[in-house]
Amino acid sequence: MHGEYKVPGGKLVVVDLDVEGGALRNVRVAGDFFLEPDEAILAIDAALEGAPANTDTAGLAARIDAALPASTVMLGLSSEGVAVAVRRALAHATEWSDYDWQLIHEAPQSPALHMALDEVVTAEVAAGRRPPTLRVWEWDSPAVIIGSFQSLRNEVDPAGAERHGVTVVRRVSGGGAMFVEPGNTITYSLSVPDALVSGLSFADSYAYLDDWVLGALGEMGIRAWYQPLNDIATDAGKIAGAAQKRVVGGEGAVLHHVTMSYDIDADKMLEVLRIGKEKLSDKGTKSAKKRVDPLRRQTGLAREAVIERMIDSFRTRHGLTRGKVTDEEMARAEELVRTKFGTEEWTARVP
């Protein structure tokens, strides 16, 4: 069995192993990390040898920690990262390079249609009728997108939304409300087979699926990192928030979508969103305006240039060919707008 895991902000860990009699055998750990002293790698292999195959990530990491020499120094590596690679090997997880990735980047569409396309495209990936897909959104109007479980009245000021012509829609994933305006927001979705995140915890899957965009931002001069559970942050502040939804059926799939602030009208946002004191205190700031630091200021690049660089970075890492939403997918999405995402029943399902 073979498993790989790119430690968030670190290096690649590769594990090869067998399972005999319910235990790990012939364990060999490798990778492009840095580790001192040399014998520490042998200690890691020995710690994993004979471990019950059903040992969870925490248990495997504890075995490694207990076996390492006191003088051990890890760079780009962690005991948890090795444990995750083991669990991915046992789960027969796939890698990014196992797939032919497709890009969808089309003309501006309505907020409700974007919600529907996320559901349809991800269901198609789960069913095996569509390859793993990176979909970059273009917005035709301003919107607030609330999480699946959020209270509509608690999150949105209806008078402010009406005054600024803001449409309110509810997405299928959890998480918090996002304020978006055409030209000021960069949003993308990854619709990936469940096998790509096999062996990862829910939290680890966020970091794993965000890693490519951290690299893309780094290439634009932004030092960004994943901030649990679902933020992408920089020294200057938060720049993006992610959310996920697991889709059953077929082989299963994961929808991972991210909204990034290219620019933002903070005053308008505060008139539309009801941002509570609890949320602000949790983020360690007194002002909602200080919670988000737009990409426009940090990069000095046009929004279109930022998107193009992100796409190029993904293509370089994992390969990417241009595709489109099929006629059948669009028809299903439009039906979902009519029966679900465009209805008051869905939007106000948590009043």
Side-chain angles (χ1 to χ4, degrees):
M1 299 179 186
H2 179 87
E4 298 185 5
Y5 180 59
K6 171 73 163 52
V7 177
K11 298 293 186 177
L12 181 69
V13 182
V14 180
V15 175
D16 291 284
L17 56 85
D18 299 316
V19 174
E20 299 174 2
L24 307 186
R25 300 297 180 192
N26 306 314
V27 181
R28 293 293 180 268
V29 176
D32 61 354
F33 47 79
F34 300 93
L35 179 64
E36 295 287 349
D38 285 349
E39 56 266 27
I41 191 67
L42 302 178
I44 293 174
D45 291 345
L48 296 170
E49 190 73 20
N54 61 357
T55 307
D56 63 14
T57 299
L60 293 171
R63 290 175 70 104
I64 295 169
D65 288 337
L68 286 172
S71 59
T72 298
V73 176
M74 294 180 171
L75 295 175
L77 177 69
S78 67
S79 56
E80 184 182 55
V82 175
V84 170
V86 170
R87 295 307 313 168
R88 284 177 60 75
L90 293 167
H92 301 284
T94 55
E95 308 299 332
W96 295 85
S97 59
D98 292 331
Y99 300 104
D100 295 322
W101 293 86
Q102 186 172 110
L103 169 68
I104 295 175
H105 188 194
E106 299 184 339
Q109 292 159 325
S110 72
L113 185 58
H114 278 305
M115 304 302 108
L117 284 171
D118 259 358
E119 182 169 313
V120 170
V121 169
T122 308
E124 288 296 284
V125 172
R129 292 187 292 264
R130 159 174 285 283
T133 300
L134 167 65
R135 186 171 74 88
V136 180
W137 305 19
E138 296 292 346
W139 299 90
D140 73 356
S141 59
V144 167
I145 305 94
I146 59 175
S148 181
F149 311 108
Q150 288 189 295
S151 162
L152 177 60
R153 69 167 65 99
N154 288 347
E155 299 299 326
V156 182
D157 183 320
E162 183 177 3
R163 182 165 58 252
H164 293 292
V166 173
T167 301
V168 181
V169 292
R170 185 184 296 275
R171 61 180 183 269
V172 294
S173 62
M178 307 298 293
F179 172 71
V180 304
E181 293 184 288
N184 283 355
T185 307
I186 297 173
T187 306
Y188 68 85
S189 301
L190 281 171
S191 297
V192 308
D194 187 67
L196 183 64
V197 295
S198 292
L200 298 178
S201 68
F202 189 82
D204 286 340
S205 70
Y206 274 86
Y208 186 70
L209 295 175
D210 281 339
D211 190 67
W212 74 273
V213 80
L214 300 184
L217 291 169
E219 292 163 7
M220 287 181 268
I222 299 177
R223 190 180 77 85
W225 60 87
Y226 163 73
Q227 183 168 293
L229 169 65
N230 63 331
D231 288 349
I232 297 175
T234 71
D235 291 325
K238 172 182 172 179
I239 58 172
Q244 286 187 3
K245 175 68 176 178
R246 262 58 176 175
V247 176
V248 297
E251 297 299 318
V254 176
L255 168 65
H256 178 91
H257 42 202
V258 174
T259 294
M260 313 177 77
S261 292
Y262 172 73
D263 204 351
I264 193 165
D265 185 331
D267 291 324
K268 185 186 296 184
M269 178 184 73
L270 292 177
E271 291 182 31
V272 174
L273 292 182
R274 288 174 169 159
I275 301 176
K277 294 180 180 179
E278 288 292 327
K279 183 177 293 186
L280 293 179
S281 64
D282 179 57
K283 299 297 182 181
T285 181
K286 295 182 179 180
S287 170
K289 294 183 181 181
K290 296 179 180 178
R291 287 187 58 207
V292 180
D293 194 77
L295 289 170
R296 179 178 182 178
R297 189 188 68 79
Q298 292 202 47
T299 65
L301 297 171
R303 175 180 175 275
E304 293 74 16
V306 173
I307 291 173
E308 197 57 41
R309 291 197 185 193
M310 288 171 57
I311 291 172
D312 287 344
S313 184
F314 189 101
R315 183 181 292 112
T316 298
R317 284 173 169 77
H318 307 305
L320 192 64
T321 57
R322 183 171 288 275
K324 65 177 184 177
V325 176
T326 68
D327 292 342
E328 293 80 6
E329 290 168 341
M330 184 59 74
R332 286 170 55 197
E334 290 172 343
E335 177 66 11
L336 279 174
V337 170
R338 188 183 69 79
T339 60
K340 181 178 180 179
F341 294 103
T343 68
E344 181 67 18
E345 181 182 7
W346 169 257
T347 304
R349 74 184 187 102
V350 183

